[in-house]
Amino acid sequence: MMTHQQNHKFLQFSLLFLLFSSLVQGQSQDHSSLRRALQEESTWRDTFSNFFTDERCLRTEKNTASLKDLSNWMSKRNSLNATRLLDITLPGTHNSAAFDLTTELNVNDPDYSTVEKGTFKIPDAVISQWICGYALTQSLSLSEQLQAGARYLDLRIDYDVATSTWRGYHFLWGLEMSVLLEQIATFAKAHPKEIIVLQFGTIYNTGVTAEQKQDYANMITNAFAGQLMPTTTDLPTAMIGELQEAGTTIMAIVRDNEIATMSDVLWDEQTAIENTYAPTDNVDALKSYNEDRLADFYKLGANNTELYKLQWILTPSVEYIQKNPLVGNLYELAQDANGRLVEFKRPSSDANQQLGNILLIDYVEVSPLFDVLDLQQYSDGAFIEEAVPEQDKFSAAAKIGLGVGLTMFICGLCCLRKWCKGSKNKD
C-alpha cells in the first residue's frame, strides 16, 4: 500500500497530466488530424482511459501503533451503571463510512455541479482520482473504529439509481448500506453492553420514493432487531446501566423526517442531537469555536435534553484548495487538527468533566482522542487490524505520473536538441 507522500506526488503528476492533455486538445488546426484520429479510435480511447483511471480510491494506509482494543470500555467502566447517558462523552468519527470509496461521483450531491464547472468538464473518471484525497476521512473500517473505542458513527447514506441500492458516500460512492450495517451489527452483538449512537445524514437523491425510504428504515431496524433504543426513552433521565440491562444499547438517529416516522425506534435528529460545526481549515479558529460551544454546553447544565455534538475537524476552504492544488487532502488537515486536540481544555482541571456528549474527528487512529477522554485504561489488549484487500500500488495516479514524466523528458530532449542546433548555427 502506498504512503501518503507517494500518493501525493502521483496526484501532482496526475493534475499536470490533465493540464497537458487540455493543452493538446486546445491546439489549433495543426493538431486537428490528431484529434480526429482519437475520436475515430474509440476503442483505443477506452483502453487509454481504463489504464489511467482506478475504480476505487487507494485506501489510506493504516497507522494503528497508538491504538488499543477498547471493544468493552463501557462495560468495564463500572461507574457508568449509575451514570446518565447525557453525562458522558462518546468518542466519535466523522464521515465514518468514508474509509473505502469508489471513484464514482455521487451526482446527487449538490456540490457535484460546482466541481463539474470548476474542472472544465474533465471526465469524472479522471477528476475523481484527485477527489479521493478530499473524500476519504478514515482508514479504519466501521468495525475497527468500534474496536478502537468509537461509540458514535456519522453515516452518510444515499440512493444510487445506477445500482438501485442504498450506499455510503462522501462525494464519491462507497460501500452498500447493508455491508456497513452488518459491520456495526456484528460488533454490537458481540459486545451488547456497549452503547452506540448512529447518526444517518442527508439523503441527497430527491427522487427517492416513500417505498424506498421504507426499505431504508427496514434495513436499520432489521439489522439491529431488539437492540434499538425506543424513542419513548426519556433521554434526559436515561441511565447507562438501565439501557444495558434492557439490551437497548443502539440509538439510531435519522435526519429525514419522513423516515423518522416509520418506526418507534428511529429518532428524529431535530429532537435528539445538537449539531455544532466550524467550517474552517484553521486550527486556531477551530479551537476557539469549540471552546465557545463547550462553554455553551456547560451553561445548559441540567436543561440539556439532547446529545450535544462537538466536531474537531478541519474543512478545506476554496483558498486552501487553491493554495494546495496538488498536495492538499483531508489526511493532512486531520493530522494538523488531531495534533492539537490535547489543547482542547475543559472548563476546569477536573478530568471527569465532559467535552460535550459526542466528540468526533477525522482519521481517529492518528489522534490522541482516547487518551484525552482517559479511556486507554479500559483496554482488552493490543488492537487487531483487519486485512485489507490488496490494491494495485501502481495506481492510476502513478501511471499518469509516469506518462507525464515521459512527456516532460521527451519535451526536454526536444528543447535540448533545438538549443544545441541554435548554438551550432551561432558558432
Side-chain angles (χ1 to χ4, degrees):
M1 191 172 289
M2 294 174 58
T3 65
H4 294 291
Q5 291 76 14
Q6 290 172 327
N7 200 32
H8 295 166
K9 289 191 178 296
F10 291 142
L11 287 173
Q12 291 179 22
F13 285 133
S14 71
L15 288 186
L16 287 172
F17 180 78
L18 293 177
L19 293 174
F20 174 77
S21 299
S22 298
L23 288 172
V24 170
Q25 293 178 16
Q27 292 296 315
S28 59
Q29 294 182 359
D30 292 337
H31 295 88
S32 60
S33 59
L34 173 62
R35 292 202 304 275
R36 283 197 301 272
L38 290 176
Q39 290 170 355
E40 293 169 359
E41 295 294 333
S42 60
T43 302
W44 183 91
R45 288 203 315 276
D46 291 341
T47 302
F48 179 86
S49 175
N50 291 336
F51 183 76
F52 284 106
T53 58
D54 286 323
E55 291 184 355
R56 306 196 76 82
C57 293
L58 186 63
R59 286 184 62 170
T60 308
E61 186 176 7
K62 297 179 185 179
N63 181 4
T64 61
S66 64
L67 294 180
K68 294 181 180 180
D69 184 353
L70 295 176
S71 297
N72 298 295
W73 72 262
M74 297 190 81
S75 57
K76 281 190 166 188
R77 196 170 169 180
N78 295 327
S79 61
L80 293 182
N81 290 335
T83 302
R84 292 190 318 147
L85 179 58
L86 295 183
D87 286 337
I88 64 168
T89 301
L90 299 174
T93 55
H94 172 243
N95 263 305
S96 309
F99 62 90
D100 187 358
L101 298 172
T102 69
T103 54
E104 306 165 59
L105 285 160
N106 179 4
V107 297
N108 303 323
D109 194 312
D111 288 331
Y112 173 76
S113 60
T114 302
V115 171
E116 192 176 34
K117 293 174 183 176
T119 55
F120 307 102
K121 298 197 181 244
I122 292 171
D124 289 352
V126 177
I127 198 62
S128 61
Q129 314 294 317
W130 168 74
I131 292 176
C132 286
Y134 287 103
L136 292 165
T137 59
Q138 308 293 335
S139 66
L140 306 181
S141 69
L142 296 183
S143 52
E144 286 178 313
Q145 292 171 38
L146 292 166
Q147 181 198 165
R151 293 297 176 267
Y152 164 90
L153 298 178
D154 169 22
L155 302 172
R156 315 291 176 92
I157 309 291
D158 203 359
Y159 189 76
D160 180 15
V161 175
T163 60
S164 299
T165 57
W166 290 99
R167 298 174 67 182
Y169 74 92
H170 183 211
F171 209 77
L172 302 170
W173 287 114
L175 298 174
E176 290 188 12
M177 182 180 183
S178 59
V179 175
L180 299 172
L181 294 182
E182 178 60 29
Q183 289 190 20
I184 304 168
T186 299
F187 177 90
K189 289 171 185 174
H191 308 279
K193 298 293 186 183
E194 300 300 301
I195 293 177
I196 304 170
V197 175
L198 308 176
Q199 184 175 9
F200 294 85
T202 303
I203 297 173
Y204 282 128
N205 189 329
T206 57
V208 172
T209 65
E211 182 180 1
Q212 289 166 334
K213 287 188 177 184
Q214 185 65 63
D215 289 340
Y216 180 107
N218 291 344
M219 289 178 72
I220 298 174
T221 56
N222 291 339
F224 308 109
Q227 290 184 287
L228 291 168
M229 186 189 305
T231 55
T232 53
T233 303
D234 183 35
L235 201 54
T237 62
M239 307 297 285
I240 291 175
E242 292 174 354
L243 295 173
Q244 292 173 328
E245 185 67 24
T248 53
T249 53
I250 298 177
M251 184 178 185
I253 304 171
V254 296
R255 181 165 296 176
D256 189 281
N257 304 109
E258 187 177 349
I259 292 176
T261 64
M262 293 178 173
S263 172
D264 59 3
V265 290
L266 296 179
W267 292 71
D268 190 327
E269 179 182 295
Q270 295 181 9
T271 58
I273 197 163
E274 177 68 27
N275 292 299
T276 67
Y277 166 65
T280 181
D281 53 26
N282 180 279
V283 185
D284 289 327
L286 175 70
K287 178 173 177 286
S288 177
Y289 175 87
N290 277 298
E291 286 175 344
D292 289 342
R293 299 293 74 73
L294 187 59
D296 293 340
F297 170 70
Y298 274 95
K299 287 177 184 176
L300 288 172
N303 295 321
N304 183 28
T305 60
E306 301 174 329
L307 291 167
Y308 196 93
K309 183 174 73 177
L310 299 172
Q311 304 192 58
W312 193 265
I313 60 172
L314 292 177
T315 303
S317 62
V318 173
E319 183 180 7
Y320 172 86
I321 295 173
Q322 290 174 342
K323 286 184 177 179
N324 305 276
L326 305 178
V327 296
N329 60 84
L330 294 184
Y331 184 81
E332 298 299 329
L333 287 173
Q335 285 187 308
D336 291 342
N338 294 351
R340 293 183 59 185
L341 182 61
V342 293
E343 300 175 23
F344 188 28
K345 302 296 183 183
R346 297 172 172 85
S348 75
S349 58
D350 183 0
N352 292 322
Q353 287 197 318
Q354 296 172 257
L355 293 175
N357 295 124
I358 297 167
L359 179 59
L360 72 140
I361 56 175
D362 285 327
Y363 289 104
V364 66
E365 78 282 2
V366 289
S367 81
L369 178 62
F370 305 111
D371 289 312
V372 169
L373 297 179
D374 197 28
L375 299 179
Q376 299 283 32
Q377 60 183 302
Y378 305 107
S379 166
D380 284 330
F383 181 84
I384 301 174
E385 281 190 26
E386 296 174 359
V388 177
E390 188 66 27
Q391 288 185 279
D392 185 5
K393 294 183 179 180
F394 193 46
S395 65
K399 296 169 187 175
I400 293 173
L402 177 62
V404 171
L406 289 173
T407 301
M408 295 176 69
F409 177 72
I410 293 172
C411 290
L413 288 179
C414 292
C415 291
L416 180 62
R417 183 168 177 270
K418 284 187 178 181
W419 181 82
C420 290
K421 277 188 175 182
S423 298
K424 186 174 181 181
N425 292 335
K426 287 181 181 178
D427 293 340

